[in-house]
Amino acid sequence: LSGMNMLAIQVAKQTEQLPELNYYRTHPIEGRVVELLQVDTYLAELLAQNSNLYSAAIYFETSDLVVSNFQICYGEENETISYYQQLLEERPRGGYVLDRDFPHTGEYVVHLVRPLSQTEGVGGGAVVLTVRSAVLTEALGKQARQDFGAVCIVGNDGIVFGHTENGLIGRSLDSLG
């Protein structure tokens, strides 16, 4: 997860610094789609270089725009936009979010939310990198010493989002006894 965090920090910095990535932080989508294709290409290359990532998305608050490897969507009343707004509201300073319904698969995923800085005239938003919790479980299984019995990763809210036993993902740490 620390590698995923470092990658999210890098993507957030590039989104804030590179003109082709930060255009939609200050401009609406109407009339300009060239930058959209550049953002989409950037995310496609990011996924190609990081096989553990399930999804990569950039949410641009100013233009109500989400660009991800699954879709490009915009507009205030869009369900996907609302989803990313909620992720940012849940983790305004960044962090991990466990989700069972992304994208409506019933599979647990872990989102790493990294907010974009917001200054006067420059809108905020977030970089959201997503990994399947099964990837974490597989990594734990390879790394855990046999005498440990079980190893888990627990979020600040006490919910297990990585465990050497897949069936325990999503449960409260308190319920594991």
Side-chain angles (χ1 to χ4, degrees):
L1 288 177
S2 66
M4 187 174 158
N5 187 43
M6 294 303 294
L7 182 60
I9 291 170
Q10 176 187 347
V11 173
K13 282 183 182 177
Q14 289 177 342
T15 301
E16 292 170 350
Q17 294 172 353
L18 298 175
E20 63 272 19
L21 295 181
N22 78 16
Y23 177 84
Y24 296 107
R25 296 182 68 213
T26 57
H27 297 85
I29 188 174
E30 290 79 15
R32 287 293 287 255
V33 294
V34 172
E35 287 80 3
L36 218 77
L37 298 174
Q38 291 173 327
V39 175
D40 187 55
T41 300
Y42 174 84
L43 293 176
E45 290 172 2
L46 181 71
L47 284 167
Q49 296 169 7
N50 297 280
S51 60
N52 287 335
L53 286 181
Y54 177 53
S55 172
I58 303 174
Y59 162 56
F60 299 94
E61 198 171 41
T62 299
S63 52
D64 284 322
L65 169 69
V66 170
V67 181
S68 79
N69 58 301
F70 288 112
Q71 61 187 333
I72 296 172
C73 54
Y74 66 97
E76 292 177 23
E77 301 301 320
N78 185 290
E79 181 180 333
T80 302
I81 299 293
S82 298
Y83 180 85
Y84 282 91
Q85 286 171 337
Q86 183 178 352
L87 285 176
L88 185 56
E89 287 170 10
E90 288 178 19
R91 297 289 188 265
R93 288 187 282 245
Y96 298 95
V97 178
L98 177 70
D99 187 4
R100 182 165 176 96
D101 197 31
F102 175 83
H104 308 294
T105 61
E107 179 179 17
Y108 280 107
V109 296
V110 177
H111 298 296
L112 173 57
V113 180
R114 177 66 51 201
L116 299 173
S117 62
Q118 189 170 2
T119 60
E120 189 174 327
V122 179
V127 169
V128 180
L129 302 181
T130 304
V131 65
R132 288 183 169 109
S133 63
V135 170
L136 298 176
T137 298
E138 183 180 314
L140 285 173
K142 289 178 183 177
Q143 300 298 318
R145 293 185 4 207
Q146 295 301 321
D147 58 338
F148 278 165
V151 178
C152 65
I153 302 172
V154 180
N156 291 340
D157 55 3
I159 302 297
V160 175
F161 61 86
H163 200 290
T164 49
E165 295 178 37
N166 247 351
L168 300 177
I169 295 172
R171 294 188 46 196
S172 166
L173 184 62
D174 294 338
S175 72
L176 300 182

